[in-house]
Amino acid sequence: NAGVTQTPKFQVLKTGQSMTLQCAQDMNHEYMSWYRQDPGMGLRLIHYSVGAGITDQGEVPNGYNVSRSTTEDFPLRLLSAAPSQTSVYFCASSPSQGPYEQYFGPGTRLTVT
Amino acid sequence: GENVEQHPSTLSVQEGDSAVIKCTYSDSASNYFPWYKQELGKRPQLIIDIRSNVGEKKDQRIAVTLNKTAKHFSLHITETQPEDSAVYFCAASSGNQGGKLIFGQGTELSVKP
């Protein structure tokens, strides 16, 4: 049972490049979320999903796309990277039935130059 | 949407003293309030949570209290130890949307030996 996995761990992009951050979980959780963490800003919700085929915007969705074709996977796409997207990105999953503990992945540190 | 405010942003205590971190939330529909601890360079880890039908919950040296009328909840750590030093985040979730956690800005707790 690997829990929540994220790849890559580190990434450097140039402005305007695109990439996908991968997230997978093997706990059969319905809920999955993406957060970004910036110094002094806490964890801000980007997008979340309550099940396969269902996604919704969080607090800071601009510049990011998501899809949920399977229960296990929830990739985050940056279509045209900007320096403002330099951050640490965490993926998390939780069951739809209580308890609702969110399990976080190890994070991806992204730098956009 | 939900908004969570957390205070203080930094807290320094002597080993053995108590520490209290406070959060307020805006959405009266929120009914799940977890607290996470994040050590430097690591992922957030759940330390305690409370549902809106409970006013207080304890787990050894950690307790959380919830005042639904005032829309605030607090984390209490007693007999603090140096290993309690970390950043602590509160969060709130509404309805059954366990995947949609809104976090406070975080409190950096330093426990001095």
Side-chain angles (χ1 to χ4, degrees):
Chain A
N1 192 330
V4 180
T5 58
Q6 291 183 239
T7 56
K9 291 185 178 180
F10 303 94
Q11 183 70 49
V12 179
L13 290 178
K14 295 186 186 300
T15 297
Q17 287 184 319
S18 63
M19 80 158 297
T20 299
L21 306 185
Q22 301 292 344
C23 175
Q25 53 92 8
D26 60 1
M27 297 174 282
N28 202 31
H29 287 167
E30 287 84 1
Y31 295 161
M32 295 187 76
S33 305
W34 275 103
Y35 298 88
R36 60 177 289 174
Q37 185 172 32
D38 304 296
M41 302 289 289
L43 292 144
R44 292 184 291 170
L45 181 65
I46 304 171
H47 286 286
Y48 68 103
S49 170
V50 298
I54 306 169
T55 64
D56 205 348
Q57 296 181 348
E59 303 170 272
V60 288
N62 293 340
Y64 308 94
N65 281 350
V66 292
S67 60
R68 183 98 179 270
S69 57
T70 67
T71 300
E72 295 77 20
D73 300 298
F74 191 41
L76 178 72
R77 281 183 286 277
L78 285 71
L79 297 179
S80 179
S84 60
Q85 294 178 306
T86 294
S87 189
V88 178
Y89 291 84
F90 287 100
C91 178
S93 73
S94 63
S96 61
Q97 304 298 320
Y100 299 109
E101 176 180 354
Q102 286 213 359
Y103 295 81
F104 282 82
T108 294
R109 185 174 294 275
L110 175 67
T111 302
V112 183
T113 62
Chain B
E2 177 65 277
N3 183 52
V4 178
E5 296 287 335
Q6 181 173 346
H7 298 280
S9 57
T10 61
L11 180 60
S12 181
V13 300
Q14 289 295 131
E15 181 177 1
D17 287 350
S18 295
V20 180
I21 303 170
K22 299 182 179 182
C23 289
T24 60
Y25 62 99
S26 61
D27 188 352
S28 57
S30 289
N31 62 0
Y32 174 64
F33 307 93
W35 286 88
Y36 284 81
K37 175 183 180 181
Q38 187 179 30
E39 297 175 342
L40 190 63
K42 297 192 175 180
R43 73 190 81 183
Q45 300 270 13
L46 180 74
I47 55 172
I48 194 167
D49 56 13
I50 191 168
R51 303 292 305 276
S52 59
N53 58 349
V54 175
E56 184 176 2
K57 184 177 178 181
K58 289 184 179 180
D59 183 3
Q60 299 183 347
R61 298 186 296 108
I62 295 173
V64 57
T65 58
L66 171 66
N67 183 326
K68 286 172 52 181
T69 303
K71 288 190 276 188
H72 68 70
F73 56 113
S74 301
L75 177 71
H76 305 254
I77 306 174
T78 59
E79 301 173 18
T80 54
Q81 301 167 2
E83 51 264 39
D84 293 330
S85 295
V87 179
Y88 291 81
F89 293 97
C90 64
S93 176
S94 62
N96 289 322
Q97 294 180 320
K100 189 179 180 184
L101 278 182
I102 303 300
F103 283 81
Q105 296 86 347
T107 296
E108 184 175 0
L109 173 65
S110 176
V111 180
K112 300 186 184 305

